[in-house]
């Protein structure tokens, strides 16, 4: 009898955590596990702000899937459709070949993408903060703005270059902005032509508070710490336009900017639209407490793209929040339920009371609220690093990240822009297309 095939669509945090648990607990010959993702690696998103700020080497916050999942089949491909009626999915491989793959058990965990709004100029001027590529780009971009600003005598251009706008006051936006502002404040000391006071950092949030994941007092504490650093926190404010880099906000403020970072929410991966699986009003897969997609027995989901009942809430309609904390724990329960189904054992419900949240606000600064206990400043920053280091997959990546942090203690931060990374062939193309220049004289030495 052939091995049952378990297909995992998505190699992100949920998919990797799930597959690691399966390959560790699965018996030889029990099932064949296939992981499909468009990227050959998993990005640990909680460490993206530190990678952008230079506290961590970008390669250390990504885990190569093939390196970690040696007992699984890994396919670098784009799943374009799921037909559960025939238990098949359509995938486009890296060479453009389109294949239909069958499955016995399916796990759909493609995660989410940025939820952009139809704001004029946003598509042309904005950048998200969900991938390692975006983090590296922002680091180089911010540092290159300092370089250009220090070289120009045009005051209007300088103000534009040194104005940085972040839209979205959730954890992603707060951490990204705080880390990059901290990095820029450190770097600008090497530019005598400009000062930290010349920079303008603006956070735009449509709600009446930032960081809705924590209590109002912790949210207010975080806002105050940001404002003490000169960051403008605009609450109950929306962006109306970014056309040609001219920011127009709903509170009447207008200014030019060269940097617009969009962190105002996410939405389920659009791949789910081409499936016959049930979804809720927000486009998430409807799941039971056992993490099975409703109306199926062999399709499972978890994480950002899944609407999972929150059994710890008194509200029968409550759903688990789309947080990394829930996602990792759901992945572990999902793996155990897959093994239970393969072995003919009963499945268990996912039930976890939200423990709280931790956030890094730049070097040695943080805010945390865990099981009702509030931590601020250095203790919160240390807890943030300790918690996420513990959750980082694989021992080798834990060691590399710890090494990066330890090297930060005796040595200064590395703050250099490598803008060539975004167009590495530019100089060679220029050289290859050079015509009519005089030939060099003399002899080679």
């Amino acid at each position: 009898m052939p091995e049952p095939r378990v297909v995992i669509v998505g190699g992100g945090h949920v998919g990797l955590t799930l597959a690691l648990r399966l390959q560790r607990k699965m018996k030889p010959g029990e099932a064949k596990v296939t992981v499909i993702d468009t990227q050959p690696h998993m990005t640990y998103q909680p460490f993206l702000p530190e990678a952008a700020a230079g506290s961590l080497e970008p390669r250390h916050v990504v885990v190569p899937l093939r390196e970690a999942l040696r007992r699984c089949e890994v396919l670098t491909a784009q799943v374009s459709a799921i037909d559960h009626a025939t238990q098949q999915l359509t995938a486009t491989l890296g060479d453009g070949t389109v294949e239909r793959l069958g499955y016995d058990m399916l796990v759909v965990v493609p995660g989410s993408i940025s939820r952009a709004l139809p704001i004029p100029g946003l598509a042309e001027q904005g950048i998200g903060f969900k991938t390692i590529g975006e983090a590296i780009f922002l680091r180089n971009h911010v540092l290159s703005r300092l370089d250009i600003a220090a070289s120009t005598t045009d005051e209007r251009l300088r103000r534009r270059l040194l104005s940085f706008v972040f839209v979205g006051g959730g954890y992603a936006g707060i951490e990204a902005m705080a880390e990059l502002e901290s990095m820029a404040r450190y770097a600008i000391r090497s530019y005598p032509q400009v000062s930290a006071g010349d920079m303008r950092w603006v956070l735009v949030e449509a709600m009446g508070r930032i960081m809705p994941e924590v209590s109002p007092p912790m949210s207010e504490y975080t806002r105050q710490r940001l404002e003490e650093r000169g960051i403008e926190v605009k609450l109950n404010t929306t962006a109306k336009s970014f056309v040609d880099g001219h920011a127009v906000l709903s509170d009447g403020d207008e200014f030019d900017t060269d940097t617009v970072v969009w962190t105002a929410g996410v939405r389920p991966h659009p791949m789910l639209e081409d499936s016959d699986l049930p979804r809720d009003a927000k486009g998430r897969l409807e799941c039971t407490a056992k993490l099975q997609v409703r109306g199926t027995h062999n399709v499972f989901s978890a994480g950002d793209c899944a609407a999972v009942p929150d059994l710890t809430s008194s509200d029968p309609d409550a759903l688990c929040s789309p947080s990394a904390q829930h996602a990792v724990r759901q992945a572990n329960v999902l793996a155990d339920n897959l093994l239970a189904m393969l072995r003919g054992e009963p499945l268990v419900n996912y039930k976890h009371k939200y423990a709280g949240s931790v956030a890094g606000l730049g070097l040695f600064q943080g805010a945390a609220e865990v099981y009702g206990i509030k931590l601020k400043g250095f203790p919160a920053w240390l807890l943030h690093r300790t918690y996420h280091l513990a959750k980082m997959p694989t021992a080798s990546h834990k060691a590399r990240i710890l090494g990066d942090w330890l090297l930060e203690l005796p040595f200064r931060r590395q703050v250099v822009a490598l803008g060539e990374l975004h167009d590495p062939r530019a100089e060679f193309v220029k050289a290859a297309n050079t015509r009519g220049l005089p030939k060099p004289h003399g002899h080679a030495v």
Side-chain angles (χ1 to χ4, degrees):
M1 183 175 179
E3 294 177 325
R5 188 175 197 182
V6 179
V7 175
I8 302 173
V9 178
H13 202 180
V14 176
L16 177 60
T17 302
L18 162 68
L20 283 170
R21 191 174 181 89
L22 283 178
Q23 75 172 9
R24 185 173 67 251
K25 303 182 77 171
M26 193 172 283
K27 300 172 185 175
E30 196 165 14
K32 178 181 180 181
V33 179
T34 300
V35 179
I36 306 175
D37 198 279
T38 55
Q39 298 294 331
H41 59 258
M42 181 280 289
T43 301
Y44 189 72
Q45 293 189 3
F47 280 147
L48 279 184
E50 292 200 47
S55 296
L56 291 177
E57 162 64 42
R59 291 174 302 169
H60 296 170
V61 305
V62 299
V63 180
L65 296 178
R66 287 181 173 83
E67 175 187 310
L69 303 175
R70 298 190 182 278
R71 293 181 56 196
C72 300
E73 178 188 28
V74 176
L75 293 180
T76 302
Q78 172 69 62
V79 174
S80 56
I82 297 174
D83 183 5
H84 182 58
T86 61
Q87 294 199 174
Q88 289 188 322
L89 53 83
T90 304
T92 303
L93 305 182
D95 62 357
T97 305
V98 177
E99 288 192 5
R100 285 180 63 83
L101 305 174
Y103 60 84
D104 296 294
M105 301 168 71
L106 177 67
V107 180
V108 186
V109 286
S112 58
I113 63 171
S114 296
R115 184 192 63 204
L117 299 178
I119 298 173
L122 176 61
E124 293 76 18
Q125 304 293 327
I127 182 172
F129 197 77
K130 283 186 67 64
T131 69
I132 193 66
E134 289 171 334
I136 295 172
F137 173 86
L138 273 173
R139 170 182 171 78
N140 290 327
H141 176 80
V142 169
L143 292 174
S144 67
R145 299 311 92 180
L146 303 186
D147 283 327
I148 302 172
S151 306
T152 184
T153 57
D154 185 334
E155 285 300 321
R156 183 175 178 181
L157 174 60
R158 178 177 292 178
R159 284 195 301 271
R160 176 190 179 107
L161 291 167
L162 298 180
S163 295
F164 307 95
V165 181
F166 285 67
V167 184
Y171 260 103
I174 295 295
E175 290 191 320
M177 185 178 211
E179 288 284 355
L180 285 167
E181 189 273 344
S182 176
M183 176 200 70
R185 183 177 292 274
Y186 180 90
I188 209 166
R189 296 184 300 180
S190 301
Y191 298 88
Q193 302 89 345
V194 291
S195 68
D198 294 328
M199 294 191 295
R200 185 182 185 191
W201 294 79
V202 182
L203 177 66
V204 179
E205 171 53 49
M207 296 175 59
R209 54 175 289 205
I210 59 173
M211 290 171 61
E213 301 91 343
V214 300
S215 65
M218 284 300 292
S219 171
E220 179 62 17
Y221 165 82
T222 304
R223 183 188 66 80
Q224 291 174 2
R225 297 292 81 75
L226 294 176
E227 291 182 340
E228 285 174 1
R229 288 160 55 175
I231 296 174
E232 300 175 39
V233 181
K234 293 177 174 286
L235 303 177
N236 298 307
T237 305
T238 58
K240 299 176 68 176
S241 174
F242 291 112
V243 173
D244 296 328
H246 184 69
V248 180
L249 307 181
S250 63
D251 65 352
D253 195 4
E254 295 188 29
F255 56 93
D256 290 335
T257 178
D258 231 21
T259 308
V260 178
V261 184
W262 184 265
T263 60
V266 297
R267 65 185 180 92
H269 198 286
M271 178 271 292
L272 300 176
E273 298 169 7
D274 294 314
S275 77
D276 54 356
L277 300 172
R279 296 184 299 141
D280 68 1
K282 293 184 178 181
R284 299 171 298 184
L285 294 176
E286 295 182 354
C287 294
T288 68
K290 292 180 174 58
L291 303 175
Q292 290 170 300
V293 174
R294 292 193 184 279
T296 73
H297 75 283
N298 62 338
V299 181
F300 297 78
S301 187
D304 290 353
C305 67
V308 179
D310 185 355
L311 299 184
T312 66
S313 174
S314 57
D315 181 358
D317 297 324
L319 300 173
C320 294
S321 61
S323 67
Q325 184 182 145
H326 277 303
V328 172
R329 287 174 170 81
Q330 287 172 1
N332 289 327
V333 172
L334 202 164
D336 292 343
N337 278 346
L338 285 172
L339 290 170
M341 180 170 285
L342 286 169
R343 297 167 184 173
E345 300 170 356
L347 278 59
V348 299
N349 289 331
Y350 172 75
K351 185 176 182 179
H352 170 70
K353 188 172 180 60
Y354 192 62
S357 302
V358 292
L361 303 177
L363 199 59
F364 305 131
Q365 299 185 56
E369 189 169 13
V370 181
Y371 293 117
I373 300 174
K374 299 178 178 64
L375 296 174
K376 303 172 182 178
F378 179 79
W381 172 83
L382 186 60
L383 178 61
H384 168 264
R385 283 196 163 186
T386 302
Y387 173 79
H388 286 301
L389 180 64
K391 295 300 180 184
M392 182 73 191
T394 81
S396 65
H397 281 77
K398 285 182 171 71
R400 288 185 172 96
I401 288 169
L402 185 59
D404 287 343
W405 287 339
L406 292 175
L407 284 172
E408 232 186 350
L409 298 177
F411 301 111
R412 298 178 64 184
R413 262 185 176 182
Q414 290 184 307
V415 282
V416 60
L418 299 175
E420 297 90 345
L421 290 174
H422 304 296
D423 191 5
R425 295 185 64 250
E427 286 299 315
F428 179 77
V429 170
K430 186 190 302 182
N433 290 325
T434 299
R435 296 289 186 272
L437 294 180
K439 295 181 180 180
H441 296 286
H443 300 283
V445 178

